[in-house]
Amino acid sequence: TEKREATMSSRNPERKQRLVGQDSHLSRIFLLLLFVVSAQGVTPNPEACLVSSSVNGSSISCQPPAQIPHSLPADTIFLAVEFFNLTQLPADFLQGVPNLQELHLSSNRLEDLSPKFLLPVPQLKVLDLTRNSLTRLPPGLFRISAALCTLVLKGNQLKFLEASWLHGLKALRHLDLSENNLHSLPPGLLENFPDLLTLDLSNNYLQTLPPDLLRGPLNLERLHLEGNRLRVLGEGLLAPQPKLRYLFLNDNRLASVAAGAFRGLQKLDMLDLSNNLLTTVPTGLWTSLGKAARNLKDGFDISSNPWICDQNLADLYRWLVANKDKMFFRNHTRCSGPEALKGQRLLAVAESH
């Protein structure tokens, strides 16, 4: 049980599974292995970047105290320039590397990017801008980035977004906007991203979401909304995504969930509603969950909510008993009232009801 609970928990980032940027991290691990096992193309000089060559092209990784090269091999396909505290990059920084596929600029202090920054790299597939100081993106930045499939903007200082900033992205599959200062989202943000699989909006300051947020993607699989300030989960928000598999709503301020909020989610493998303000839920909320053979196969978490264990939870009681083998953190899922049941495990109350 503890092993499965560790898989379920999304409050600890190190224990939560994420797909955003996963391909890029695997690529970087692979490259580091290449550096270790192959002496060819590796420069031991600490002031030089690590360089690896293959039949596909050159891969370059630069971290301090290495010096950032003034020019790059024309066949460069992977470039990482990280931990340099750079506030600016020249507009022509990527000039001469038309085949670049992955660009990692994490852990700098970039404040803005030139609208022309990506023009020299039309084949770019992964752009990682994690932990910079970006407050906005220049319109037109992605106008020839039709191949880009992973965009990571985690840990920047974005307070708002404009849908126009993302125009030009046609193959986007993973979008990470977590750990910014977002208080709201514009309508139509995802309408041009039919291939989007993962959306991460966790750890922002969102109190509400536009009703059309999920209209556009056709096969969304993972939705991270944890760590915001959401108070209500409405009827139609999730309706456009019947193939959704992982839904993280934990660590919000949810006090109300509409009866039809999960209707149509026939493939949901994991649901996290923990650490909210739920005292009760409407009859019928769970109707579509836990029935199919694979439904909620990775479990659900409704712990750390102030549940009022009265007759209004009768529908939840029945559902819990039928799906108790998929329930995580049972000892942390307890009644806050009425007084006679305060502190008792919710599942025990359900089984005795």
Side-chain angles (χ1 to χ4, degrees):
T1 301
E2 291 180 359
K3 184 178 180 181
R4 294 192 67 203
E5 289 183 354
T7 302
M8 175 63 192
S9 176
S10 64
R11 284 188 291 275
N12 185 337
E14 294 181 0
R15 293 160 65 191
K16 179 178 64 177
Q17 297 177 356
R18 290 176 179 262
L19 290 184
V20 174
Q22 187 178 51
D23 293 340
S24 62
H25 295 316
L26 289 175
S27 298
R28 293 165 68 186
I29 291 171
F30 175 72
L31 286 166
L32 289 174
L33 288 174
L34 284 178
F35 297 147
V36 172
V37 301
S38 173
Q40 183 177 2
V42 179
T43 307
N45 183 353
E47 294 188 357
C49 300
L50 293 174
V51 179
S52 175
S53 298
S54 71
V55 293
N56 295 320
S58 297
S59 299
I60 302 172
S61 181
C62 301
Q63 294 185 6
Q67 299 294 316
I68 301 174
H70 295 292
S71 61
L72 301 168
D75 67 344
T76 300
I77 57 172
F78 176 100
L79 176 61
V81 178
E82 301 172 305
F83 303 100
F84 279 97
N85 288 330
L86 299 171
T87 58
Q88 302 283 339
L89 286 172
D92 62 351
F93 180 69
L94 300 175
Q95 202 69 42
V97 287
N99 298 319
L100 190 67
Q101 296 183 20
E102 290 198 31
L103 177 59
H104 299 269
L105 296 170
S106 69
S107 301
N108 285 292
R109 291 189 298 168
L110 295 173
E111 297 173 351
D112 57 52
L113 297 172
S114 166
K116 300 179 179 180
F117 182 63
L118 298 178
L119 288 182
V121 289
Q123 298 185 48
L124 193 68
K125 295 180 179 179
V126 175
L127 177 58
D128 181 5
L129 290 161
T130 301
R131 296 187 185 91
N132 279 284
S133 300
L134 297 170
T135 58
R136 58 180 289 116
L137 297 178
L141 177 65
F142 301 113
R143 59 183 179 270
I144 63 163
S145 299
L148 195 73
C149 57
T150 298
L151 175 58
V152 185
L153 289 161
K154 175 181 179 178
N156 277 275
Q157 297 180 21
L158 299 172
K159 293 184 178 180
F160 67 98
L161 293 174
E162 294 183 14
S164 61
W165 293 354
L166 303 180
H167 284 178
L169 297 175
K170 299 178 180 179
L172 198 63
R173 295 167 66 87
H174 306 291
L175 177 59
D176 189 345
L177 293 162
S178 63
E179 297 181 24
N180 277 277
N181 298 316
L182 296 173
H183 286 73
S184 63
L185 298 173
L189 179 64
L190 306 176
E191 63 183 4
N192 295 316
F193 304 137
D195 298 323
L196 194 68
L197 297 177
T198 303
L199 175 62
D200 195 338
L201 291 163
S202 64
N203 299 310
N204 279 285
Y205 297 90
L206 300 170
Q207 297 185 33
T208 61
L209 299 171
D212 70 345
L213 175 64
L214 301 181
R215 294 175 195 161
L218 301 177
N219 299 293
L220 194 68
E221 293 182 353
R222 297 180 70 99
L223 178 58
H224 291 271
L225 293 169
E226 69 268 25
N228 281 284
R229 299 179 178 182
L230 301 175
R231 299 179 182 274
V232 176
L233 183 60
E235 188 91 16
L237 178 70
L238 302 174
Q241 298 303 327
K243 298 179 182 179
L244 193 67
R245 294 180 55 202
Y246 297 91
L247 176 57
F248 297 96
L249 288 159
N250 49 291
D251 298 281
N252 276 281
R253 300 176 183 178
L254 287 174
S256 175
V257 179
F262 302 139
R263 189 176 297 134
L265 298 183
Q266 296 296 333
K267 294 189 174 183
L268 201 64
D269 288 336
M270 181 182 290
L271 172 65
D272 195 340
L273 281 166
S274 63
N275 201 27
N276 277 286
L277 301 175
L278 296 171
T279 58
T280 189
V281 286
T283 299
L285 176 66
W286 315 98
T287 302
S288 65
L289 300 181
K291 288 186 175 182
R294 63 171 282 183
N295 205 211
L296 289 177
K297 69 180 182 68
D298 291 330
F300 66 92
D301 187 358
I302 58 172
S303 66
S304 300
N305 280 285
W307 296 109
I308 302 300
C309 299
D310 57 18
Q311 68 277 7
N312 293 321
L313 287 186
D315 188 51
L316 175 58
Y317 292 156
R318 289 189 292 270
W319 188 83
L320 278 183
V321 172
N323 294 278
K324 61 183 179 182
D325 60 317
K326 304 170 184 176
M327 182 180 181
F328 295 100
F329 302 107
R330 298 179 186 182
N331 286 333
H332 296 280
T333 310
R334 295 180 178 267
C335 303
S336 292
E339 193 65 30
L341 296 176
K342 189 173 182 179
Q344 293 195 30
R345 293 169 62 217
L346 181 59
L347 181 58
V349 174
E351 290 177 326
S352 64
H353 189 71

Short mmCIF file of all heavy atoms in Angstrom, two decimals, residues 40-102:
data_model
loop_
_atom_site.label_atom_id
_atom_site.label_comp_id
_atom_site.label_asym_id
_atom_site.label_seq_id
_atom_site.Cartn_x
_atom_site.Cartn_y
_atom_site.Cartn_z
N GLN A 40 35.59 9.85 -27.03
CA GLN A 40 35.66 10.59 -28.29
C GLN A 40 34.74 11.81 -28.23
O GLN A 40 33.56 11.70 -27.92
CB GLN A 40 35.24 9.69 -29.45
CG GLN A 40 35.35 10.40 -30.80
CD GLN A 40 35.00 9.47 -31.93
OE1 GLN A 40 34.64 8.32 -31.71
NE2 GLN A 40 35.09 9.96 -33.15
N GLY A 41 35.25 12.96 -28.51
CA GLY A 41 34.46 14.17 -28.56
C GLY A 41 34.23 14.83 -27.21
O GLY A 41 33.59 15.84 -27.13
N VAL A 42 34.75 14.26 -26.13
CA VAL A 42 34.56 14.84 -24.80
C VAL A 42 35.81 15.63 -24.41
O VAL A 42 36.93 15.12 -24.50
CB VAL A 42 34.29 13.73 -23.75
CG1 VAL A 42 34.13 14.36 -22.37
CG2 VAL A 42 33.04 12.95 -24.14
N THR A 43 35.60 16.85 -23.98
CA THR A 43 36.73 17.71 -23.62
C THR A 43 36.87 17.78 -22.11
O THR A 43 35.93 18.22 -21.42
CB THR A 43 36.51 19.12 -24.19
OG1 THR A 43 36.25 19.02 -25.59
CG2 THR A 43 37.73 19.98 -23.94
N PRO A 44 37.97 17.35 -21.52
CA PRO A 44 38.11 17.35 -20.06
C PRO A 44 38.32 18.73 -19.47
O PRO A 44 38.21 18.91 -18.27
CB PRO A 44 39.34 16.47 -19.84
CG PRO A 44 40.16 16.60 -21.09
CD PRO A 44 39.16 16.76 -22.20
N ASN A 45 38.63 19.72 -20.28
CA ASN A 45 38.86 21.08 -19.81
C ASN A 45 37.59 21.62 -19.13
O ASN A 45 36.54 21.73 -19.76
CB ASN A 45 39.24 21.96 -21.00
CG ASN A 45 39.57 23.37 -20.57
OD1 ASN A 45 39.41 23.74 -19.41
ND2 ASN A 45 40.04 24.17 -21.52
N PRO A 46 37.64 21.99 -17.83
CA PRO A 46 36.44 22.46 -17.14
C PRO A 46 35.89 23.76 -17.69
O PRO A 46 34.75 24.11 -17.42
CB PRO A 46 36.92 22.63 -15.69
CG PRO A 46 38.40 22.80 -15.79
CD PRO A 46 38.83 21.96 -16.96
N GLU A 47 36.71 24.49 -18.45
CA GLU A 47 36.22 25.74 -19.03
C GLU A 47 35.66 25.55 -20.42
O GLU A 47 35.31 26.52 -21.09
CB GLU A 47 37.35 26.77 -19.06
CG GLU A 47 37.80 27.20 -17.67
CD GLU A 47 38.78 28.36 -17.71
OE1 GLU A 47 39.13 28.78 -18.82
OE2 GLU A 47 39.16 28.84 -16.63
N ALA A 48 35.55 24.30 -20.85
CA ALA A 48 34.97 24.00 -22.16
C ALA A 48 33.66 23.25 -21.97
O ALA A 48 33.46 22.54 -20.98
CB ALA A 48 35.93 23.16 -22.99
N CYS A 49 32.76 23.41 -22.91
CA CYS A 49 31.49 22.70 -22.86
C CYS A 49 31.71 21.23 -23.23
O CYS A 49 32.67 20.89 -23.93
CB CYS A 49 30.50 23.33 -23.84
SG CYS A 49 30.13 25.05 -23.49
N LEU A 50 30.81 20.39 -22.75
CA LEU A 50 30.85 18.99 -23.14
C LEU A 50 30.28 18.85 -24.53
O LEU A 50 29.20 19.36 -24.83
CB LEU A 50 30.03 18.15 -22.15
CG LEU A 50 30.58 18.05 -20.73
CD1 LEU A 50 29.60 17.31 -19.85
CD2 LEU A 50 31.93 17.36 -20.72
N VAL A 51 31.01 18.16 -25.38
CA VAL A 51 30.60 18.00 -26.78
C VAL A 51 30.61 16.53 -27.12
O VAL A 51 31.57 15.81 -26.83
CB VAL A 51 31.54 18.77 -27.73
CG1 VAL A 51 31.09 18.57 -29.17
CG2 VAL A 51 31.57 20.25 -27.37
N SER A 52 29.53 16.07 -27.73
CA SER A 52 29.44 14.70 -28.19
C SER A 52 28.96 14.70 -29.63
O SER A 52 28.04 15.44 -29.99
CB SER A 52 28.48 13.90 -27.31
OG SER A 52 28.30 12.59 -27.81
N SER A 53 29.60 13.86 -30.44
CA SER A 53 29.22 13.77 -31.85
C SER A 53 28.66 12.39 -32.15
O SER A 53 29.10 11.38 -31.60
CB SER A 53 30.43 14.04 -32.75
OG SER A 53 30.93 15.35 -32.53
N SER A 54 27.67 12.35 -33.01
CA SER A 54 27.09 11.10 -33.47
C SER A 54 26.72 11.24 -34.93
O SER A 54 26.90 12.31 -35.53
CB SER A 54 25.85 10.75 -32.64
OG SER A 54 24.78 11.62 -32.95
N VAL A 55 26.18 10.19 -35.49
CA VAL A 55 25.79 10.24 -36.90
C VAL A 55 24.66 11.24 -37.11
O VAL A 55 24.45 11.74 -38.22
CB VAL A 55 25.35 8.84 -37.40
CG1 VAL A 55 26.55 7.90 -37.42
CG2 VAL A 55 24.23 8.28 -36.54
N ASN A 56 23.91 11.54 -36.03
CA ASN A 56 22.80 12.47 -36.16
C ASN A 56 23.22 13.93 -36.04
O ASN A 56 22.51 14.82 -36.50
CB ASN A 56 21.74 12.17 -35.09
CG ASN A 56 21.11 10.81 -35.28
OD1 ASN A 56 20.83 10.41 -36.41
ND2 ASN A 56 20.87 10.09 -34.19
N GLY A 57 24.36 14.17 -35.39
CA GLY A 57 24.81 15.53 -35.22
C GLY A 57 25.51 15.72 -33.89
O GLY A 57 25.74 14.76 -33.14
N SER A 58 25.83 16.96 -33.57
CA SER A 58 26.56 17.29 -32.34
C SER A 58 25.61 17.68 -31.22
O SER A 58 24.58 18.31 -31.45
CB SER A 58 27.54 18.44 -32.61
OG SER A 58 28.52 18.07 -33.56
N SER A 59 26.02 17.31 -30.00
CA SER A 59 25.28 17.68 -28.80
C SER A 59 26.23 18.42 -27.87
O SER A 59 27.34 17.96 -27.61
CB SER A 59 24.73 16.44 -28.10
OG SER A 59 23.82 15.75 -28.97
N ILE A 60 25.78 19.57 -27.36
CA ILE A 60 26.63 20.46 -26.57
C ILE A 60 25.93 20.79 -25.26
O ILE A 60 24.76 21.19 -25.26
CB ILE A 60 26.95 21.74 -27.35
CG1 ILE A 60 27.63 21.41 -28.68
CG2 ILE A 60 27.81 22.68 -26.52
CD1 ILE A 60 27.80 22.60 -29.59
N SER A 61 26.66 20.63 -24.16
CA SER A 61 26.12 20.96 -22.85
C SER A 61 27.09 21.88 -22.12
O SER A 61 28.25 21.52 -21.90
CB SER A 61 25.89 19.68 -22.03
OG SER A 61 25.35 20.00 -20.76
N CYS A 62 26.62 23.07 -21.76
CA CYS A 62 27.46 24.08 -21.11
C CYS A 62 26.90 24.47 -19.75
O CYS A 62 25.73 24.84 -19.64
CB CYS A 62 27.54 25.34 -21.98
SG CYS A 62 28.20 25.09 -23.64
N GLN A 63 27.75 24.38 -18.74
CA GLN A 63 27.44 24.85 -17.40
C GLN A 63 28.69 25.51 -16.84
O GLN A 63 29.81 25.17 -17.24
CB GLN A 63 26.99 23.70 -16.50
CG GLN A 63 25.67 23.07 -16.90
CD GLN A 63 25.20 22.01 -15.91
OE1 GLN A 63 25.81 21.82 -14.86
NE2 GLN A 63 24.12 21.33 -16.26
N PRO A 64 28.52 26.45 -15.92
CA PRO A 64 29.71 27.07 -15.32
C PRO A 64 30.63 26.02 -14.69
O PRO A 64 30.14 25.00 -14.19
CB PRO A 64 29.11 27.99 -14.24
CG PRO A 64 27.70 28.21 -14.66
CD PRO A 64 27.28 26.96 -15.36
N PRO A 65 31.95 26.20 -14.78
CA PRO A 65 32.66 27.42 -15.22
C PRO A 65 32.97 27.45 -16.72
O PRO A 65 33.82 28.23 -17.14
CB PRO A 65 33.95 27.33 -14.42
CG PRO A 65 34.22 25.86 -14.33
CD PRO A 65 32.88 25.22 -14.18
N ALA A 66 32.35 26.59 -17.49
CA ALA A 66 32.61 26.56 -18.93
C ALA A 66 32.28 27.92 -19.57
O ALA A 66 31.44 28.67 -19.08
CB ALA A 66 31.80 25.47 -19.59
N GLN A 67 32.98 28.21 -20.64
CA GLN A 67 32.72 29.43 -21.39
C GLN A 67 31.73 29.14 -22.51
O GLN A 67 31.88 28.16 -23.24
CB GLN A 67 34.03 29.95 -22.00
CG GLN A 67 35.10 30.30 -20.97
CD GLN A 67 34.69 31.46 -20.09
OE1 GLN A 67 34.18 32.47 -20.58
NE2 GLN A 67 34.91 31.32 -18.79
N ILE A 68 30.72 29.97 -22.62
CA ILE A 68 29.73 29.77 -23.68
C ILE A 68 30.40 30.05 -25.02
O ILE A 68 31.00 31.12 -25.22
CB ILE A 68 28.53 30.71 -23.48
CG1 ILE A 68 27.88 30.44 -22.13
CG2 ILE A 68 27.52 30.53 -24.61
CD1 ILE A 68 26.79 31.42 -21.78
N PRO A 69 30.34 29.12 -25.97
CA PRO A 69 31.03 29.32 -27.25
C PRO A 69 30.40 30.44 -28.07
O PRO A 69 29.19 30.68 -28.01
CB PRO A 69 30.87 27.96 -27.94
CG PRO A 69 29.67 27.34 -27.32
CD PRO A 69 29.66 27.81 -25.89
N HIS A 70 31.23 31.13 -28.82
CA HIS A 70 30.74 32.20 -29.68
C HIS A 70 30.09 31.65 -30.94
O HIS A 70 29.25 32.31 -31.56
CB HIS A 70 31.89 33.15 -30.05
CG HIS A 70 32.45 33.89 -28.87
ND1 HIS A 70 31.74 34.84 -28.17
CD2 HIS A 70 33.67 33.80 -28.26
CE1 HIS A 70 32.48 35.32 -27.19
NE2 HIS A 70 33.66 34.70 -27.21
N SER A 71 30.50 30.46 -31.33
CA SER A 71 29.88 29.81 -32.49
C SER A 71 29.70 28.34 -32.18
O SER A 71 30.41 27.76 -31.35
CB SER A 71 30.75 29.99 -33.74
OG SER A 71 32.03 29.40 -33.55
N LEU A 72 28.74 27.72 -32.86
CA LEU A 72 28.39 26.32 -32.61
C LEU A 72 28.61 25.50 -33.88
O LEU A 72 28.52 26.03 -35.00
CB LEU A 72 26.92 26.23 -32.19
CG LEU A 72 26.52 27.00 -30.93
CD1 LEU A 72 25.01 27.06 -30.80
CD2 LEU A 72 27.15 26.37 -29.70
N PRO A 73 28.89 24.21 -33.73
CA PRO A 73 29.00 23.36 -34.92
C PRO A 73 27.71 23.41 -35.73
O PRO A 73 26.61 23.42 -35.17
CB PRO A 73 29.22 21.95 -34.33
CG PRO A 73 29.80 22.19 -32.98
CD PRO A 73 29.17 23.46 -32.49
N ALA A 74 27.85 23.45 -37.02
CA ALA A 74 26.68 23.59 -37.89
C ALA A 74 25.72 22.43 -37.76
O ALA A 74 24.52 22.56 -38.07
CB ALA A 74 27.12 23.74 -39.35
N ASP A 75 26.22 21.26 -37.30
CA ASP A 75 25.35 20.08 -37.20
C ASP A 75 24.78 19.89 -35.80
O ASP A 75 24.28 18.81 -35.46
CB ASP A 75 26.11 18.82 -37.62
CG ASP A 75 27.22 18.46 -36.65
OD1 ASP A 75 27.61 19.32 -35.84
OD2 ASP A 75 27.69 17.30 -36.70
N THR A 76 24.79 20.93 -34.98
CA THR A 76 24.30 20.83 -33.60
C THR A 76 22.81 20.49 -33.59
O THR A 76 22.00 21.18 -34.22
CB THR A 76 24.54 22.14 -32.83
OG1 THR A 76 25.95 22.41 -32.80
CG2 THR A 76 24.01 22.04 -31.41
N ILE A 77 22.46 19.45 -32.83
CA ILE A 77 21.05 19.07 -32.70
C ILE A 77 20.55 19.23 -31.26
O ILE A 77 19.34 19.28 -31.02
CB ILE A 77 20.81 17.61 -33.15
CG1 ILE A 77 21.69 16.64 -32.37
CG2 ILE A 77 21.03 17.47 -34.65
CD1 ILE A 77 21.37 15.17 -32.62
N PHE A 78 21.49 19.30 -30.30
CA PHE A 78 21.13 19.43 -28.88
C PHE A 78 22.03 20.49 -28.26
O PHE A 78 23.25 20.44 -28.41
CB PHE A 78 21.33 18.09 -28.17
CG PHE A 78 21.07 18.14 -26.68
CD1 PHE A 78 19.87 17.69 -26.15
CD2 PHE A 78 22.04 18.61 -25.80
CE1 PHE A 78 19.63 17.73 -24.78
CE2 PHE A 78 21.82 18.65 -24.43
CZ PHE A 78 20.61 18.21 -23.92
N LEU A 79 21.43 21.45 -27.56
CA LEU A 79 22.20 22.50 -26.92
C LEU A 79 21.63 22.80 -25.54
O LEU A 79 20.42 23.06 -25.40
CB LEU A 79 22.18 23.77 -27.78
CG LEU A 79 22.87 25.01 -27.17
CD1 LEU A 79 24.35 24.75 -26.93
CD2 LEU A 79 22.67 26.22 -28.08
N ALA A 80 22.47 22.74 -24.54
CA ALA A 80 22.08 23.10 -23.18
C ALA A 80 23.04 24.17 -22.65
O ALA A 80 24.25 23.96 -22.61
CB ALA A 80 22.11 21.88 -22.27
N VAL A 81 22.48 25.32 -22.28
CA VAL A 81 23.25 26.42 -21.68
C VAL A 81 22.51 26.78 -20.40
O VAL A 81 21.52 27.52 -20.40
CB VAL A 81 23.35 27.63 -22.62
CG1 VAL A 81 24.12 28.76 -21.95
CG2 VAL A 81 24.03 27.23 -23.93
N GLU A 82 22.98 26.23 -19.28
CA GLU A 82 22.21 26.29 -18.04
C GLU A 82 23.06 26.77 -16.86
O GLU A 82 24.28 26.59 -16.85
CB GLU A 82 21.62 24.91 -17.73
CG GLU A 82 20.71 24.39 -18.84
CD GLU A 82 20.27 22.95 -18.64
OE1 GLU A 82 21.16 22.08 -18.48
OE2 GLU A 82 19.06 22.70 -18.65
N PHE A 83 22.38 27.41 -15.88
CA PHE A 83 23.01 27.84 -14.63
C PHE A 83 24.03 28.97 -14.82
O PHE A 83 24.96 29.11 -14.02
CB PHE A 83 23.68 26.66 -13.91
CG PHE A 83 22.74 25.53 -13.61
CD1 PHE A 83 22.71 24.41 -14.42
CD2 PHE A 83 21.88 25.59 -12.52
CE1 PHE A 83 21.84 23.36 -14.15
CE2 PHE A 83 21.00 24.54 -12.24
CZ PHE A 83 20.99 23.43 -13.05
N PHE A 84 23.86 29.79 -15.84
CA PHE A 84 24.80 30.88 -16.09
C PHE A 84 24.30 32.24 -15.58
O PHE A 84 25.01 33.23 -15.68
CB PHE A 84 25.10 31.00 -17.58
CG PHE A 84 26.11 30.02 -18.08
CD1 PHE A 84 25.71 28.84 -18.68
CD2 PHE A 84 27.47 30.26 -17.94
CE1 PHE A 84 26.65 27.92 -19.14
CE2 PHE A 84 28.41 29.34 -18.40
CZ PHE A 84 28.00 28.17 -19.00
N ASN A 85 23.07 32.30 -15.10
CA ASN A 85 22.50 33.57 -14.64
C ASN A 85 22.47 34.62 -15.75
O ASN A 85 22.65 35.81 -15.49
CB ASN A 85 23.26 34.11 -13.43
CG ASN A 85 22.99 33.30 -12.18
OD1 ASN A 85 21.91 32.74 -12.02
ND2 ASN A 85 23.98 33.22 -11.30
N LEU A 86 22.24 34.18 -16.95
CA LEU A 86 22.15 35.10 -18.09
C LEU A 86 20.83 35.87 -18.03
O LEU A 86 19.77 35.29 -17.82
CB LEU A 86 22.22 34.32 -19.40
CG LEU A 86 23.48 33.49 -19.65
CD1 LEU A 86 23.28 32.60 -20.88
CD2 LEU A 86 24.68 34.41 -19.85
N THR A 87 20.89 37.15 -18.22
CA THR A 87 19.66 37.95 -18.28
C THR A 87 19.20 38.18 -19.71
O THR A 87 18.02 38.42 -19.96
CB THR A 87 19.86 39.31 -17.59
OG1 THR A 87 20.94 40.01 -18.22
CG2 THR A 87 20.17 39.12 -16.11
N GLN A 88 20.13 38.10 -20.66
CA GLN A 88 19.80 38.34 -22.06
C GLN A 88 20.57 37.35 -22.93
O GLN A 88 21.65 36.88 -22.55
CB GLN A 88 20.19 39.78 -22.48
CG GLN A 88 19.55 40.87 -21.67
CD GLN A 88 18.11 41.11 -22.06
OE1 GLN A 88 17.71 40.75 -23.16
NE2 GLN A 88 17.33 41.71 -21.17
N LEU A 89 20.01 37.07 -24.09
CA LEU A 89 20.71 36.33 -25.13
C LEU A 89 20.62 37.13 -26.42
O LEU A 89 19.57 37.70 -26.72
CB LEU A 89 20.08 34.95 -25.35
CG LEU A 89 20.34 33.89 -24.28
CD1 LEU A 89 19.49 32.66 -24.54
CD2 LEU A 89 21.82 33.52 -24.25
N PRO A 90 21.69 37.20 -27.19
CA PRO A 90 21.62 37.95 -28.45
C PRO A 90 20.61 37.32 -29.40
O PRO A 90 20.40 36.11 -29.40
CB PRO A 90 23.04 37.86 -29.00
CG PRO A 90 23.67 36.70 -28.29
CD PRO A 90 23.02 36.62 -26.95
N ALA A 91 20.00 38.14 -30.21
CA ALA A 91 18.96 37.67 -31.13
C ALA A 91 19.50 36.62 -32.09
O ALA A 91 18.75 35.75 -32.56
CB ALA A 91 18.37 38.85 -31.90
N ASP A 92 20.80 36.70 -32.42
CA ASP A 92 21.39 35.76 -33.38
C ASP A 92 22.13 34.61 -32.68
O ASP A 92 22.97 33.94 -33.28
CB ASP A 92 22.35 36.49 -34.31
CG ASP A 92 23.52 37.13 -33.56
OD1 ASP A 92 23.50 37.15 -32.30
OD2 ASP A 92 24.45 37.62 -34.22
N PHE A 93 21.80 34.36 -31.41
CA PHE A 93 22.49 33.32 -30.64
C PHE A 93 22.43 31.96 -31.32
O PHE A 93 23.37 31.18 -31.24
CB PHE A 93 21.86 33.25 -29.24
CG PHE A 93 22.48 32.21 -28.34
CD1 PHE A 93 23.77 32.36 -27.86
CD2 PHE A 93 21.77 31.07 -27.98
CE1 PHE A 93 24.35 31.41 -27.03
CE2 PHE A 93 22.33 30.11 -27.15
CZ PHE A 93 23.62 30.28 -26.67
N LEU A 94 21.33 31.67 -32.02
CA LEU A 94 21.14 30.35 -32.64
C LEU A 94 21.45 30.35 -34.13
O LEU A 94 21.15 29.37 -34.82
CB LEU A 94 19.70 29.88 -32.40
CG LEU A 94 19.30 29.74 -30.93
CD1 LEU A 94 17.82 29.39 -30.81
CD2 LEU A 94 20.15 28.69 -30.23
N GLN A 95 22.05 31.41 -34.58
CA GLN A 95 22.37 31.50 -36.01
C GLN A 95 23.39 30.41 -36.38
O GLN A 95 24.35 30.16 -35.66
CB GLN A 95 22.97 32.87 -36.33
CG GLN A 95 22.86 33.27 -37.78
CD GLN A 95 21.42 33.56 -38.19
OE1 GLN A 95 20.68 34.18 -37.44
NE2 GLN A 95 21.03 33.08 -39.37
N GLY A 96 23.14 29.73 -37.48
CA GLY A 96 24.09 28.74 -37.97
C GLY A 96 23.87 27.33 -37.49
O GLY A 96 24.70 26.44 -37.75
N VAL A 97 22.76 27.07 -36.75
CA VAL A 97 22.46 25.70 -36.31
C VAL A 97 21.02 25.34 -36.73
O VAL A 97 20.14 25.10 -35.90
CB VAL A 97 22.64 25.52 -34.79
CG1 VAL A 97 24.12 25.51 -34.44
CG2 VAL A 97 21.93 26.63 -34.02
N PRO A 98 20.77 25.26 -38.03
CA PRO A 98 19.40 25.08 -38.53
C PRO A 98 18.78 23.74 -38.17
O PRO A 98 17.55 23.59 -38.27
CB PRO A 98 19.57 25.22 -40.05
CG PRO A 98 20.99 24.80 -40.31
CD PRO A 98 21.76 25.31 -39.12
N ASN A 99 19.60 22.77 -37.74
CA ASN A 99 19.06 21.45 -37.43
C ASN A 99 18.82 21.23 -35.94
O ASN A 99 18.52 20.11 -35.52
CB ASN A 99 20.02 20.36 -37.95
CG ASN A 99 20.19 20.41 -39.45
OD1 ASN A 99 19.22 20.63 -40.18
ND2 ASN A 99 21.42 20.24 -39.92
N LEU A 100 18.94 22.27 -35.14
CA LEU A 100 18.78 22.14 -33.69
C LEU A 100 17.38 21.61 -33.36
O LEU A 100 16.37 22.11 -33.85
CB LEU A 100 18.97 23.50 -33.01
CG LEU A 100 19.05 23.46 -31.48
CD1 LEU A 100 20.32 22.75 -31.03
CD2 LEU A 100 18.98 24.88 -30.91
N GLN A 101 17.34 20.58 -32.49
CA GLN A 101 16.07 19.96 -32.11
C GLN A 101 15.73 20.16 -30.64
O GLN A 101 14.55 20.16 -30.27
CB GLN A 101 16.10 18.46 -32.42
CG GLN A 101 16.23 18.17 -33.91
CD GLN A 101 16.18 16.69 -34.20
OE1 GLN A 101 15.69 15.88 -33.41
NE2 GLN A 101 16.69 16.31 -35.37
N GLU A 102 16.73 20.30 -29.78
CA GLU A 102 16.47 20.53 -28.35
C GLU A 102 17.30 21.70 -27.86
O GLU A 102 18.50 21.77 -28.10
CB GLU A 102 16.81 19.28 -27.52
CG GLU A 102 15.87 18.13 -27.73
CD GLU A 102 15.96 17.11 -26.60
OE1 GLU A 102 16.25 17.51 -25.45
OE2 GLU A 102 15.74 15.92 -26.87
#
